[in-house]
Amino acid sequence: CGTASHGFTLSGGRKLDRIGYEETLKVSYFQIDGNRNMSPAALLSCLQEAAVTHSDTIGYTLDYMAEHQWGWSVVNWHLQIYRMPQHGERIQVQTWSNKCMRFQAERSFFLFDEAGNKLLDGASRWIFMDLARRRPANAPDGMAERYHSGQEPAIPDEKFFMPKEAEGDLLSTRTLPVTRRDTDTNGHANNVKYLEWAMDDVPDEIYDGMSLADVRIVYRKECVRGDIVEIKTYVRALPDGKEVLSFLSVGEKIVAEVATLWR
């Protein structure tokens, strides 16, 4: 998909056979940060919402999934960001499942501005969950076929690489409780919250003085209401910018890692 051919007509969301699902949005005031850019957490929420709505269009609504005690739990994100959307801007998000088999699926995303310029390539990996047993399970017959579009992934050969251990200078260590507002229908902290927590510890000179170019997240364990999350944040200089690494843990177990690249 080239950028020049993607001007669009503003309309509501719609299911497309070729790409899965697309919708157009206006960046609202509550979604922006002090720089009038869409915040990273709001951007991730936008992608998550598109994924949920795509599921709705093929029959797997939240009510249907809750009735069967099923759910999709995201385990990885990788976002390649070319420009953050700004306040009042109209954007188009496209999403499709480029791989779906047994208990695991991969979902891709494109984001465009109104002129057709690409703002983002996104990749994510999800696990199908039996919520009654709190464990992965094989998706029921027919589900994989309904999700899978046959389209190529947004980021070819994505391996969802994450740093193996903390590197760089330790910036901060802090703790926070998981509260009601952090949890979702699966009963655990919503995946967007981990990025929101991590962004709070990015130094001002990086957040305000540089551009966010890349986001990688891995979720290793769930955390639930009442858990105390410890966040350790590191920064290291790279040839093309600075990388901020956040390690989130509950007790002795790391529950998530967030790596952001700033240029």
Side-chain angles (χ1 to χ4, degrees):
C1 291
T3 60
S5 62
H6 279 270
F8 57 89
T9 300
L10 298 176
S11 62
R14 58 177 178 153
K15 179 179 180 294
L16 297 179
D17 292 335
R18 186 179 64 84
I19 64 167
Y21 178 79
E22 71 173 17
E23 64 179 333
T24 59
L25 308 165
K26 182 178 180 180
V27 180
S28 300
Y29 182 79
F30 74 90
Q31 296 176 304
I32 64 173
D33 58 20
N35 301 314
R36 298 185 183 180
N37 292 326
M38 197 176 204
S39 72
L43 176 61
L44 196 63
S45 294
C46 170
L47 302 183
Q48 176 182 251
E49 187 66 18
V52 172
T53 308
H54 181 209
S55 288
D56 287 347
T57 66
I58 59 175
Y60 299 116
T61 65
L62 288 179
D63 288 344
Y64 180 88
M65 299 293 276
E67 178 184 350
H68 291 80
Q69 298 190 67
W70 295 337
W72 286 99
S73 183
V74 64
V75 291
N76 290 96
W77 285 102
H78 181 201
L79 310 180
Q80 295 177 340
I81 301 169
Y82 309 117
R83 180 176 70 79
M84 292 295 286
Q86 298 176 324
H87 177 239
E89 189 170 11
R90 295 186 182 272
I91 56 176
Q92 181 188 69
V93 58
Q94 299 178 352
T95 185
W96 66 97
S97 178
N98 55 274
K99 183 178 181 181
C100 189
M101 54 188 297
R102 298 183 64 192
F103 62 87
Q104 183 172 291
E106 294 182 7
R107 175 175 288 278
S108 288
F109 300 87
F110 288 148
L111 191 68
F112 297 95
D113 67 15
E114 194 168 0
N117 301 304
K118 186 183 285 186
L119 304 181
L120 172 147
D121 290 321
S124 58
R125 182 162 58 186
W126 304 69
I127 299 296
F128 187 78
M129 297 290 295
D130 180 333
L131 297 180
R133 303 175 66 188
R134 310 298 294 183
R135 61 190 299 178
N138 288 334
D141 292 342
M143 181 176 282
E145 290 76 10
R146 294 177 74 177
Y147 272 110
H148 184 49
S149 69
Q151 191 175 348
E152 293 298 311
I155 304 177
D157 302 318
E158 177 59 63
K159 303 300 182 185
F160 297 103
F161 169 80
M162 291 293 294
K164 297 297 183 182
E165 58 187 29
E167 297 182 7
D169 298 326
L170 177 62
L171 287 179
S172 63
T173 300
R174 70 181 175 104
T175 60
L176 58 86
V178 179
T179 65
R180 180 188 293 115
R181 66 183 177 184
D182 300 318
T183 59
D184 59 19
T185 56
N186 290 335
H188 56 223
N190 185 268
N191 73 91
V192 174
K193 289 296 180 177
Y194 297 85
L195 180 59
E196 188 173 65
W197 297 333
M199 288 299 97
D200 284 341
D201 294 329
V202 175
D204 290 344
E205 61 269 22
I206 294 178
Y207 191 97
D208 295 327
M210 305 180 76
S211 297
L212 180 59
D214 195 273
V215 177
R216 296 176 183 267
I217 309 174
V218 61
Y219 306 95
R220 302 196 182 281
K221 301 284 184 180
E222 68 178 2
C223 61
V224 299
R225 183 178 175 184
D227 282 344
I228 303 299
V229 178
E230 181 182 66
I231 306 175
K232 290 185 177 180
T233 302
Y234 299 79
V235 64
R236 62 172 177 162
L238 298 177
D240 57 348
K242 290 188 177 181
E243 184 178 52
V244 180
L245 304 175
S246 297
F247 293 82
L248 300 91
S249 59
V250 174
E252 299 298 318
K253 296 181 179 179
I254 292 179
V255 295
E257 300 169 30
V258 179
T260 55
L261 175 64
W262 302 78
R263 295 194 175 107

